[in-house]
Amino acid sequence: MNYIIVDDEPLAHNIILSYADSLEELKLVGQAYSAKESLKLIKSQTIDLIFLDIEMPNLKGIDLLKTLNKRPLVIFTTAYEEYAIKSYELDAVDYLLKPFALERFLKAVNKAYDLWNSKSFKLAQQEEDKPNTIFIKSDKNIHQLRLDDILYLESDGGYVKIYQKNGNTILSSLSLQDFEERLSDDFIRVHKSYIIPLSKLEKIEGNRVMFADLKIPIGRYYKKALIKRLGV
């Protein structure tokens, strides 16, 4: 499971890191020292589990959780008993009261891992994925596009061209980075100027991806991520 730690206390980070270090089922992908800071991680990384403190400056952990449309598994780590009931109302996996021992930590992680591996959880996560359509503003019009109808996206100057199956092209003032955040997980950036849907990819030939009689270049920076994503 990819996990992050969100806690304003460095000591809490160190304890969790020391406990998690020997667990093969956990992979650290980031640390944040405030709820607001964690939002950047959550948007940029694939996160399965958050060790989340509750009492933090500006934005509490519970309030952070309420802002997320798609929630990873959460284990609350806090020094305050009074939030226990509220945490379970938010479907937290567990509630660790500081200071917690290794045995208690392992019990919580095992619960999270079992849930993460369960078929019901994976189906629920799929249902929470980004929608099958996206709204795009082009000139003075707003278009609703089915993601399945998008062939690929190309950055062109200060605009992005969206190529569709029907041969139409829509010009958007959003950046490719904006689309990376808005599109479903099926889409991946393969070049500084291109995003493609993985489900339509037919073959990788050298530094090009091929699908639907199209040949799209792969940037050297992006090729490793693409190969890793394909699991080959």
Side-chain angles (χ1 to χ4, degrees), residues 15 19-20 23 94 96 99-111:
I15 291 172
Y19 286 171
L23 300 179
D94 212 334
L96 298 180
F100 47 86
L102 174 58
E103 181 181 357
R104 184 67 183 86
F105 176 85
L106 293 176
K107 182 178 179 181
V109 170
N110 287 336
K111 287 171 64 176

Side-chain angles (χ1 to χ4, degrees), residues 134-183:
I134 187 172
F135 287 93
I136 301 297
K137 184 176 181 181
S138 180
D139 295 326
K140 296 181 180 180
N141 300 316
I142 296 177
H143 304 264
Q144 183 179 18
L145 302 181
R146 286 182 52 85
L147 298 187
D148 286 345
D149 291 336
I150 297 176
L151 277 179
Y152 67 99
L153 298 89
E154 178 186 13
S155 177
D156 185 8
Y159 296 88
V160 168
K161 291 180 178 178
I162 305 166
Y163 294 87
Q164 301 176 75
K165 286 180 181 178
N166 60 11
N168 292 340
T169 302
I170 292 178
L171 200 62
S172 170
S173 60
L174 295 175
S175 67
L176 278 185
Q177 184 175 348
D178 292 329
F179 279 104
E180 283 185 285
E181 295 175 358
R182 296 183 62 188
L183 293 170

Side-chain angles (χ1 to χ4, degrees), residues 215-230:
K215 297 179 180 180
I216 303 291
I218 308 174
R220 184 173 61 180
Y221 174 81
Y222 299 96
K223 188 171 184 178
K224 288 183 179 179
L226 175 60
I227 297 299
K228 183 178 180 181
R229 180 79 174 271
L230 296 175

Side-chain angles (χ1 to χ4, degrees), residues 40-166:
K40 294 180 181 178
L41 283 175
I42 293 168
K43 289 181 179 180
S44 63
Q45 300 282 350
T46 299
I47 297 169
D48 304 307
L49 174 64
I50 304 178
F51 292 99
L52 182 60
D53 188 18
I54 292 179
E55 280 292 347
M56 291 182 286
N58 300 318
L59 184 65
K60 291 182 179 180
I62 284 178
D63 295 327
L64 165 68
L65 199 57
K66 291 177 181 177
T67 69
L68 303 181
N69 292 325
K70 183 178 179 181
R71 296 178 184 174
L73 298 171
V74 172
I75 295 175
F76 281 113
T77 58
T78 179
Y80 300 90
E81 294 182 355
E82 59 265 30
Y83 293 109
I85 295 176
K86 189 66 176 177
S87 72
Y88 290 114
E89 289 176 354
L90 293 170
D91 295 325
V93 174
D94 212 334
Y95 187 89
L96 298 180
L97 193 61
K98 298 176 182 176
F100 47 86
L102 174 58
E103 181 181 357
R104 184 67 183 86
F105 176 85
L106 293 176
K107 182 178 179 181
V109 170
N110 287 336
K111 287 171 64 176
Y113 188 69
D114 288 345
L115 182 57
W116 181 68
N117 263 331
S118 69
K119 184 177 181 180
S120 60
F121 176 73
K122 293 184 183 299
L123 289 173
Q125 287 293 89
Q126 291 172 8
E127 290 175 0
E128 290 178 4
D129 278 344
K130 293 175 183 178
N132 294 323
T133 62
I134 187 172
F135 287 93
I136 301 297
K137 184 176 181 181
S138 180
D139 295 326
K140 296 181 180 180
N141 300 316
I142 296 177
H143 304 264
Q144 183 179 18
L145 302 181
R146 286 182 52 85
L147 298 187
D148 286 345
D149 291 336
I150 297 176
L151 277 179
Y152 67 99
L153 298 89
E154 178 186 13
S155 177
D156 185 8
Y159 296 88
V160 168
K161 291 180 178 178
I162 305 166
Y163 294 87
Q164 301 176 75
K165 286 180 181 178
N166 60 11

